[in-house]
Amino acid sequence: MKSILNKIIQENKQLEQDEAEAAQREIDSPTTCDSRRNFLKRTALGGMTLTGLMSLPIEDTVAQTTSKVQRTSYPSDLKITDMRCVTIDNGTSFTNARNVIIRIDTNQGIYGLGEVRDGADKRYALFLKSRILGKNPCNVEMIFKIIKQHGGHGRKGGGVSAVEMAMWDLLGKAYNVPTWQLLGGRYRDKIRLYAYVPAHNSAEIDIEKFKSDCKVRMEDQGFTWMKMHPGVHAYYKVPGAIVNSKYVIGFNEPNLDDYLSYQNTRHGLSAIQITDKGLDILSKYVGTIRDVIGYDIPLSGDHFGHFDLNNCIRVANALEKYRLASMEDFVPWDCTEQLKIITDSINSPTITGEDIYLKEAFKKLCDVHAVDIVHPDMGTSGGILETKKIGDYAEEHDMGMKMHFAGTPVSFMANVHCAAATQNVLALEVPNQVVDNPWWPKLVNMVGKQPLYTKGFANVPLDAPGLGVELNEDEIKKHLHAEDKSYFVPTPEWNEKRSHDRLWS
């Protein structure tokens, strides 16, 4: 009897060894797809084959199958214990050129990363710490409803949006799934990116250099959608091109801190007008750009200038022959009636939204079709789920969504997950400080094998939990903002809640 048992054991061992070797050969084969490879790794169960597993008692089966389950995360018992942040200089010359990354810690050792809108104050996020301490981050929507009253349009939405992003990162890590999976699954594995044409600051373009720079953008870097700034900077110095420019405060010397300056004047109040001469210069300027990049690539335009809707219509009509993919923020986003008039009067697509907080304002734009495309910035709009809701609402009105972005790889990946899970996304922005700074992608380490983006398309993490990135501490410390060199220091001063937040009685 003993010899028979030994024989059976030896035969089972040989069978297990044969199965393990066969599985390993299939795992190592370059022809094996990722999903099959992951299945084989999971079914190996740390060295136990399926055949061997079937012969075990139920107690041993349970013990074996749970031996490699991550025990540091019990989602139902997760609690937020801390919020800290780090401020990075984003490599531009803009006022308040900073990006704030927040880290939300929990009682189980896992943490979530989020990011405040570019150029915003870290205190927009830190103020919310007292509102979320002790909460379970898996209750993303409830936490969002608790804090959303403390956000607002523009940079004021940055804190709420950052916390919301971090909640989704935490939730994905707790359940060991990518964020896009928690949003209902993905429509695509790659996200089309749009980049700016190389720097051009006046109507006098060095054609040969511009051609060379555009070749790098399109062929070397692989971008298939381009954007330009055909604003008044291209022709305002030409005598007779603009009416009233000499009498507008700060027109020639931008000053965002001067409340009455051109930069802070709503478009319809500047009294600036564009002459036929100015339109002719602008048309030739855009035509030069279009000739260089060709018509196979969509070309969008932004920052046309602060002038009223009549001048907006004149500019749009002058540029119509160049078939722009979108004409952005002709007037402020809250001028719904004016945007509607412009959209109905021109033949090029209109777009707005990067400064809008929450979906309600987007709904007003969509309901009357005030623009053709919505353009939220996740750092302002309210975060990942709110941005998806904005896209879904626009889709119900047969409108597309482009996504504005100017941050670090943390918010970039938050955008990627949202774009993967939202059907009507056209493209995601990557500004010059992203594509022209070799250190930018080094700020994080990808949890999966794919890089952040490849040849003009962002890669959607297929297996990595949460947002799929971890911070590269050494690289981040090289780019700390000059005014704040701290790195995730404790923030106990923000622990105490000092007001009653309820909005009704």
Side-chain angles (χ1 to χ4, degrees), residues 164 168 178-185 384-385 388 414 417-419 421-422:
E164 201 267 5
W168 285 109
T179 295
W180 56 258
Q181 188 69 73
L182 299 166
L183 300 174
I384 295 175
L385 182 58
K388 174 172 168 52
H417 283 272
C418 180
T422 309

Side-chain angles (χ1 to χ4, degrees), residues 21 297 420 426 441 454:
E21 291 176 353
I297 289 182
L426 303 175
T454 306

Side-chain angles (χ1 to χ4, degrees), residues 4-23:
I4 294 175
L5 288 174
N6 286 335
K7 182 178 181 181
I8 292 173
I9 291 172
Q10 292 301 320
E11 288 176 350
N12 280 340
K13 286 184 177 180
Q14 185 61 49
L15 181 59
E16 291 174 1
Q17 183 178 345
D18 292 343
E19 288 182 350
E21 291 176 353

Side-chain angles (χ1 to χ4, degrees), residues 182-440:
L182 299 166
L183 300 174
R186 70 183 191 275
Y187 287 95
R188 50 186 71 86
D189 294 342
K190 293 185 178 299
I191 311 302
R192 190 178 189 178
L193 304 174
Y194 71 88
Y196 288 85
V197 296
H200 51 289
N201 297 314
S202 71
E204 299 299 323
I205 297 177
D206 183 334
I207 294 299
E208 294 308 314
K209 184 180 187 306
F210 186 65
K211 285 181 179 179
S212 176
D213 291 343
C214 283
K215 181 177 182 295
V216 172
R217 278 281 190 274
M218 296 184 294
E219 296 183 20
D220 298 345
Q221 296 176 336
F223 290 102
T224 62
W225 192 314
M226 305 292 278
K227 186 175 179 179
M228 61 177 176
H229 285 173
V232 292
H233 66 269
Y235 51 94
Y236 77 89
K237 292 182 180 179
V238 179
I242 294 178
V243 176
N244 200 50
S245 63
K246 294 182 179 179
Y247 302 96
V248 178
I249 298 174
F251 185 81
N252 297 316
E253 298 178 1
N255 183 1
L256 290 173
D257 292 326
D258 186 342
Y259 184 73
L260 296 178
S261 71
Y262 167 77
Q263 285 72 27
N264 291 322
T265 299
R266 290 177 69 85
H267 296 50
L269 305 178
S270 72
I272 286 178
Q273 293 178 297
I274 302 171
T275 67
D276 288 344
K277 183 176 183 180
L279 289 176
D280 184 57
I281 296 171
L282 176 61
S283 180
K284 291 178 180 178
Y285 172 69
V286 175
T288 299
I289 295 173
R290 180 52 101 179
D291 288 343
V292 171
I293 71 170
Y295 279 86
D296 289 334
I297 289 182
L299 177 62
S300 296
D302 185 16
H303 294 297
F304 289 92
H306 290 197
F307 35 73
D308 65 13
L309 68 88
N310 299 299
N311 281 272
C312 294
I313 294 171
R314 293 188 72 221
V315 167
N317 289 337
L319 302 181
E320 181 182 333
K321 59 186 174 182
Y322 302 117
R323 303 313 305 149
L324 298 188
S326 60
M327 305 188 82
E328 184 175 336
D329 291 331
F330 261 139
V331 294
W333 63 266
D334 56 350
C335 298
T336 307
E337 293 182 2
Q338 293 187 40
L339 286 169
K340 173 69 172 170
I341 292 172
I342 295 170
T343 298
D344 290 346
S345 301
I346 68 176
N347 294 316
S348 298
T350 54
I351 182 172
T352 195
E354 69 178 76
D355 297 311
I356 298 178
Y357 179 59
L358 304 181
K359 65 181 181 297
E360 284 74 18
F362 282 100
K363 289 172 67 175
K364 293 178 182 178
L365 293 170
C366 293
D367 287 344
V368 298
H369 205 108
V371 290
D372 298 300
I373 304 168
V374 294
H375 192 218
D377 186 303
M378 187 178 292
T380 285
S381 63
I384 295 175
L385 182 58
E386 191 74 358
T387 304
K388 174 172 168 52
K389 289 180 179 180
I390 292 164
D392 290 343
Y393 194 84
E395 183 189 351
E396 293 176 7
H397 293 74
D398 291 319
M399 298 166 64
M401 178 169 77
K402 287 170 65 180
M403 302 175 74
H404 184 271
F405 164 76
T408 78
V410 173
S411 57
F412 178 79
M413 290 310 300
N415 276 273
V416 167
H417 283 272
C418 180
T422 309
Q423 184 174 354
N424 63 331
V425 170
L426 303 175
L428 166 64
E429 177 176 4
V430 280
N432 287 345
Q433 63 261 36
V434 171
V435 297
D436 292 335
N437 284 344
W439 51 262
W440 184 85

